[in-house]
Amino acid sequence: MKKTQHLIHSGLLGLAITAAWLPARAAGSVPPAESFFNYPAFTGATLSPTGRYLAVRVPHEQNGRYMLAVYDSVQHKINVVAKFGTRDVADIQWVNDERILFNTADKQVGQGETVNGPGLWAVNADGSGMRQLVTTNSLDSSGPRMLAWNYFMGPVGAQDSEWVYVLSGVSNDLQGKLDYVNMLRLNTLTGRTEGIKRPANAQAYTLDDAGKPRLVSAHTDGSRTVSFHIREGDSEEWRLLTTFDAYKPNSGSFMPLSYARDGTLYVSSNKDGDKTALYTYDFKANKLAEKPLVQLENHDFRGDLLLREGKLLGIHYEADAEGTLWFDPEYKALQDEIDQQLPSTINNLRIPRRTGTPNVLVTSYSDVQPVIYFLYDRSTRKLQPVGQTRPQIKPGQMGTQDVVRIAARDGRQVPVQLTLPPGGAGKKYPMVVMVHGGPYVRGVHYGWNRETQFLASRGYAVLEPEFRGSTGYGYKHFKAGLKQWGLKMQDDIADATRWAIAQGYADPQRICIAGASYGGYATLMGLVNDPELYQCGIDWVGVTDINLMYNGHWRFSDDMSESWKKYGMPEMVGDQAKDAAQLKATSPLEQAARIKRPVLLAYGADDRRVPLIHGLAFRDALVQTNKQVEWIQYDEEGHGWQLPKNNIDFWTRVEKFLGKHIGAGAKTE
């Protein structure tokens, strides 16, 4: 995909890379699975408030554990300031220009083997002043001024003192479903805390750009009502701003995005009844402004507001690809200059908290290039490459993306992302139809995707439809998918597949359907509804029966909230009583005997979103009538694969499965 202008209505270091680093398409050996599925070599880069320091995560050369390193752009030195022998540095947040907050994870065990919490530490940029602030285990005896293990990193504050915000989820449920979330102010030097008053059943907090708590959303599990509470001026009291139905969007509902220190609240809302746009909220009238600040032509508005020192510099958004609408002329000129130096990539500018600083962090990527980080010195107007996530990936061996809109059988426009193998168009490829999970999410985003590109590097075209029910393309597209599991949502996937065949991209005798979670469900229903279209199916962690989502199983617990089961699922997926016949007809488990194509099934034993019983029950039903079933079970994994070894194992098996059934040597009908 070429970087294009989208319509907007507006009321480690020393890496040898040049500005023209994207090579032409080139033949060569197929990159190994490790290149795609090992952990990134350089990640999490974030600038200090003045832009002098850059904090990053890099792996230890011997044990592979992520360490915290800090680059000093004045002294041109990089130092490791935190590392552990049995844990990895995870999330990073600057406290002020000299101090960093971080938590940890154990990236060498699966989700089912995790025994400790993330903890919380603070350290100075030079490696001094290390202090543990939150314990990692509920059995630990807390040290002096150390919080219990269930506190975690909160929203970014003012970054001008030693204080930060931390959150704690409170649950009286044996399954750990949250009742409410507390927020504290925590001193990273002394461990001292200050409580923040909260409305009942608070779930999420919004700070203004000066770092003060201003807005809280509250929700009670089992209820359909979401309420928003505001705190104005220097008051510590919260007042109710508005309430609305969480499962029935209307013209007055909104989602808060940012709160400026001048009192302006920025929200997203589908006030026009379809596309979500960016609005300001009128507190005097207690309603949304009449006209949107930003509205995209074909997409819901989703993005970040670049508020710095009370001024809205620009708005980061995503249409077919990411972009930034700059209101500040200086930063607009800066964006243009960087784009000229890096013409083949999307270049996102990460602005430090303090304006007027010399350094800007630039994250650059494309469909064929994983993220590369640059520091841009505004005084010298030079880009300095500082690291890249996957240096072993060669862009010339990757496939190119494009997004098109196809007409489904009832005329609905369905966005579809097509990735062709290196070499581009010109012949019929074996194709994998990749169905995203959710399903009520946006499934595809422009950029390098490890799963898609792994398949493309093996010679497969990859088709990713944004079927009705997907979000990001307007409320009407989302609403058209309500209660359409296995029905019109499935038809959109089939229609996109037939479009690819008609356009000459796909060999009709060599197509496989694949996906995880809802995508796994759609894979199995694709083999039920359209057996002539797909030669095989790959389902990992997929739903196999909608009633099983409601009823669960005595051996397995799930993380579905009572509100979702009581209000969301009956309206969006199907009512167990009213839609009983439909749920049976659209159940892969109930329809297993109709699946005759080869199937690869993979599940995690510790999955709480789609518990293992979904896979076990379906496997046992399927093998009664289908002898072409491959089963994989990762005992330590949950809803997807966390460990590189399991990702590498799974996708190596996928490669062999595809090669056998739709690869160059496969027998076709």
Side-chain angles (χ1 to χ4, degrees):
M1 176 191 292
K2 295 180 180 178
K3 190 164 51 175
T4 57
Q5 180 67 38
H6 301 282
L7 179 62
I8 297 179
H9 302 287
S10 174
L12 193 73
L13 292 123
L15 186 66
I17 305 173
T18 67
W21 45 264
L22 274 180
R25 286 283 176 270
S29 60
V30 175
E34 289 81 357
S35 298
F36 297 85
F37 299 108
N38 273 334
Y39 288 130
F42 186 103
T43 186
T46 179
L47 281 173
S48 67
T50 67
R52 172 174 175 170
Y53 299 105
L54 181 72
V56 300
R57 295 197 310 270
V58 292
H60 192 282
E61 291 183 359
Q62 295 178 339
N63 63 21
R65 294 289 187 183
Y66 274 126
M67 308 178 294
L68 174 59
V70 175
Y71 172 66
D72 186 335
S73 65
V74 174
Q75 298 183 358
H76 303 290
K77 292 181 179 180
I78 185 167
N79 295 309
V80 173
V81 300
K83 61 180 179 180
F84 301 86
T86 59
R87 300 181 69 79
D88 300 86
V89 172
D91 301 307
I92 303 169
Q93 184 185 115
W94 285 95
V95 179
N96 53 51
D97 210 53
E98 298 291 337
R99 196 155 177 78
I100 309 166
L101 184 72
F102 67 93
N103 59 18
T104 64
D106 189 347
K107 293 185 176 293
Q108 296 184 12
V109 301
Q111 300 163 61
E113 297 177 333
T114 300
V115 294
N116 289 317
L120 207 58
W121 286 260
V123 65
N124 292 333
D126 62 2
S128 65
M130 174 82 85
R131 183 185 181 100
Q132 186 173 359
L133 301 163
V134 172
T135 63
T136 60
N137 193 297
S138 60
L139 300 179
D140 289 347
S141 57
S142 298
R145 294 203 183 278
M146 195 182 299
L147 292 171
W149 67 276
N150 60 337
Y151 280 87
F152 48 96
M153 198 177 296
V156 179
Q159 296 184 320
D160 60 359
S161 71
E162 66 268 27
W163 293 84
V164 295
Y165 290 102
V166 294
L167 303 173
S168 174
V170 178
S171 174
N172 295 311
D173 186 284
L174 293 177
Q175 304 300 327
K177 297 168 184 176
L178 290 180
D179 292 324
Y180 58 89
V181 175
N182 272 329
M183 184 163 72
L184 294 179
R185 206 165 162 251
L186 169 64
N187 189 299
T188 61
L189 293 177
T190 67
R192 177 187 163 204
T193 60
E194 295 178 355
I196 304 293
K197 291 185 66 174
R198 62 166 180 83
N201 306 316
Q203 298 291 323
Y205 297 80
T206 300
L207 310 183
D208 65 18
D209 68 309
K212 295 181 179 180
R214 291 299 185 192
L215 195 73
V216 169
S217 63
H219 175 71
T220 302
D221 194 16
S223 165
R224 11 181 353 128
T225 302
V226 173
S227 60
F228 287 98
H229 305 257
I230 189 171
R231 193 166 76 167
E232 298 168 300
D234 295 327
S235 172
E236 295 185 0
E237 300 299 321
W238 298 93
R239 71 171 177 87
L240 179 65
L241 180 63
T242 187
T243 62
F244 48 81
D245 191 321
Y247 296 99
K248 285 189 176 180
N250 57 65
S251 61
S253 63
F254 61 82
M255 180 62 65
L257 298 176
S258 292
Y259 199 118
R261 65 182 66 183
D262 65 1
T264 302
L265 175 62
Y266 296 92
V267 304
S268 62
S269 173
N270 65 334
K271 183 181 177 182
D272 69 352
D274 189 22
K275 303 291 191 304
T276 297
L278 175 66
Y279 290 86
T280 57
Y281 192 86
D282 186 335
F283 289 109
K284 291 182 179 180
N286 210 35
K287 65 178 184 178
L288 299 171
E290 291 299 322
K291 294 183 178 180
L293 180 63
V294 174
Q295 185 172 34
L296 305 179
E297 184 180 29
N298 297 314
H299 300 79
D300 290 319
F301 174 82
R302 292 180 181 176
D304 302 313
L305 277 68
L306 301 174
L307 282 164
R308 296 295 184 271
E309 299 175 354
K311 182 180 180 182
L312 182 59
L313 302 178
I315 297 173
H316 187 78
Y317 65 91
E318 182 182 18
D320 281 345
E322 290 184 300
T324 304
L325 174 66
W326 291 105
F327 299 130
D328 185 277
E330 183 179 352
Y331 280 103
K332 184 180 185 305
L334 182 61
Q335 179 78 63
D336 292 341
E337 184 172 335
I338 290 172
D339 286 345
Q340 289 177 8
Q341 294 190 45
L342 300 171
S344 301
T345 52
I346 300 293
N347 307 304
N348 290 327
L349 277 56
R350 305 303 182 192
I351 311 298
R353 177 61 69 100
R354 312 287 178 259
T355 60
T357 57
N359 291 326
V360 173
L361 179 64
V362 181
T363 58
S364 297
Y365 68 91
S366 74
D367 52 350
V368 298
Q369 175 61 59
V371 169
I372 294 182
Y373 294 98
F374 295 87
L375 276 181
Y376 181 84
D377 189 324
R378 298 169 67 185
S379 60
T380 64
R381 302 174 67 179
K382 290 183 179 180
L383 279 168
Q384 176 191 1
V386 293
Q388 56 181 317
T389 54
R390 298 187 180 275
Q392 67 275 35
I393 291 294
K394 297 179 175 61
Q397 295 178 327
M398 302 294 105
T400 54
Q401 292 178 6
D402 200 5
V403 174
V404 296
R405 284 164 173 76
I406 64 117
R409 64 192 67 180
D410 63 357
R412 171 159 294 281
Q413 293 294 300
V414 177
V416 175
Q417 180 168 281
L418 175 67
T419 303
L420 296 180
K427 64 177 182 179
K428 295 180 179 179
Y429 291 101
M431 187 174 76
V432 178
V433 180
M434 190 81 80
V435 187
H436 71 72
Y440 310 114
V441 298
R442 176 169 174 170
V444 298
H445 306 269
Y446 176 76
W448 188 87
N449 177 283
R450 63 181 186 172
E451 296 172 354
T452 301
Q453 290 294 359
F454 176 77
L455 296 173
S457 72
R458 269 62 184 165
Y460 297 99
V462 181
L463 190 73
E464 299 173 84
E466 294 279 51
F467 46 84
R468 68 193 69 198
S470 302
T471 60
Y473 304 93
Y475 181 67
K476 294 177 182 177
H477 190 68
F478 159 73
K479 188 177 180 181
L482 298 186
K483 292 191 177 184
Q484 293 300 311
W485 285 43
L487 301 172
K488 291 183 179 180
M489 292 166 74
Q490 202 70 44
D491 291 344
D492 289 348
I493 298 166
D495 292 346
T497 305
R498 293 189 174 97
W499 168 86
I501 294 171
Q503 296 298 311
Y505 296 121
D507 181 341
Q509 299 299 314
R510 294 194 292 163
I511 300 175
C512 188
I513 185 170
S517 196
Y518 171 83
Y521 166 88
T523 290
L524 302 177
M525 285 307 302
L527 298 177
V528 171
N529 291 358
D530 300 286
E532 82 291 346
L533 200 56
Y534 308 112
Q535 301 300 311
C536 57
I538 303 169
D539 152 35
W540 66 107
V541 300
V543 172
T544 63
D545 183 70
I546 296 171
N547 281 312
L548 194 54
M549 293 172 65
Y550 274 107
N551 302 332
H553 188 274
W554 67 270
R555 286 177 55 200
F556 303 94
S557 61
D558 65 54
D559 61 1
M560 300 290 186
S561 71
E562 292 307 312
S563 293
W564 169 241
K565 290 182 179 180
K566 185 176 181 180
Y567 300 113
M569 285 181 61
E571 294 183 11
M572 298 169 70
V573 182
D575 187 285
Q576 274 194 294
K578 297 177 182 177
D579 304 311
Q582 175 181 319
L583 298 191
K584 183 175 181 179
T586 57
S587 164
L589 182 60
E590 295 281 354
Q591 308 299 323
R594 295 173 58 188
I595 298 178
K596 305 301 182 183
R597 297 297 193 185
V599 180
L600 175 63
L601 301 171
Y603 284 80
D606 197 55
D607 193 342
R608 293 187 60 209
R609 178 56 50 89
V610 180
L612 181 62
I613 187 61
H614 280 263
L616 294 174
F618 180 76
R619 178 200 63 184
D620 293 346
L622 186 61
V623 296
Q624 301 301 313
T625 55
N626 188 333
K627 302 307 178 184
Q628 302 182 88
V629 180
E630 296 185 31
W631 171 263
I632 310 169
Q633 180 174 317
Y634 297 113
D635 289 337
E636 71 272 43
E637 296 285 13
H639 197 57
W641 325 136
Q642 175 173 299
L643 295 178
K645 69 173 185 176
N646 291 335
N647 265 304
I648 292 167
D649 176 78
F650 174 71
W651 286 98
T652 299
R653 291 172 185 255
V654 167
E655 183 178 6
K656 292 178 181 178
F657 181 84
L658 292 173
K660 178 180 179 180
H661 298 294
I662 65 170
K667 295 180 180 180
T668 56
E669 297 177 358

